[in-house]
Amino acid sequence: MSSGQKKLFGRERPLRDVLGGGKVADIVLWRDKRLSAAILIAVTVVWLLFEVMEYNLLPLLCHISIAAMLLVFIWSNGAALLDLTPPKIPELILSEQAFRKGALLFHSYLNHSLSILHGIAGGNDLRLFLLTLVSLWIVSAIGSCCSSINLLFFGEHNHCRHS
């Protein structure tokens, strides 16, 4: 850029340098079009789910768990029928280094719960698997009555919507 050209808002440095000059600047300035578009689409979907469709966090987490358990159940049983290897899911999903002292209890509880759900989704006990799916669906229905922001209190405008 020649020194005779005026820059927007009287800046002396290029806008990319003002924004930090790294990956974030590339995303904000749409130089990495794929990543910028992916972030925009993800944020738009989250906004549509929570604001427009008034979806709540607890039912979303339950529906994701139901879908994941169904996928692992079908994969595990299909692998046994077709003599393929069953899915290998790592035991430790969350890193302990990412949490402080107060979150360590939550971390171990979440890992224990995920390992239990993984064991149930393995397909060894069909009755327990179906009972877990129904329980998650009930929690999802109850959670649709709660606010996404605060799961303990009922929202003023949230009405029970069974999914």
Side-chain angles (χ1 to χ4, degrees):
M1 187 175 271
S2 67
S3 60
Q5 287 183 325
K6 291 184 100 176
K7 294 187 180 179
L8 188 62
F9 304 121
R11 290 178 287 111
E12 295 181 11
R13 298 187 308 167
L15 186 57
R16 186 174 188 281
D17 290 343
V18 172
L19 293 173
K23 191 77 167 167
V24 174
D26 290 341
I27 293 169
V28 171
L29 295 173
W30 284 78
R31 289 188 177 169
D32 188 350
K33 290 183 182 4
R34 283 187 166 188
L35 186 57
S36 297
I39 290 172
L40 180 64
I41 289 169
V43 169
T44 302
V45 167
V46 169
W47 176 78
L48 283 171
L49 276 173
F50 291 119
E51 291 297 322
V52 175
M53 297 175 65
E54 295 182 3
Y55 206 66
N56 292 313
L57 183 62
L58 188 59
L60 177 66
L61 294 176
C62 287
H63 291 158
I64 289 171
S65 295
I66 289 170
M69 286 183 66
L70 282 171
L71 180 71
V72 170
F73 180 79
I74 292 169
W75 189 357
S76 294
N77 288 319
L81 291 174
L82 300 173
D83 291 331
L84 300 173
T85 58
K88 293 183 180 178
I89 299 173
E91 288 294 319
L92 182 65
I93 294 175
L94 301 172
S95 168
E96 284 188 9
Q97 296 141 354
F99 294 97
R100 293 198 167 120
K101 280 184 175 178
L104 286 177
L105 180 62
F106 176 76
H107 175 260
S108 63
Y109 177 74
L110 181 62
N111 278 336
H112 181 68
S113 300
L114 289 173
S115 67
I116 289 172
L117 289 177
H118 178 257
I120 293 170
N124 297 335
D125 187 358
L126 181 62
R127 183 176 176 269
L128 182 60
F129 173 72
L130 294 174
L131 182 64
T132 303
L133 288 182
V134 169
S135 300
L136 284 171
W137 181 79
I138 290 170
V139 170
S140 168
I142 292 170
S144 67
C145 298
C146 301
S147 170
S148 293
I149 305 296
N150 188 344
L151 297 175
L152 300 176
F153 301 104
F154 286 91
E156 189 174 314
H157 300 289
N158 287 342
H159 303 286
C160 248
R161 294 176 314 277
H162 299 285
S163 16

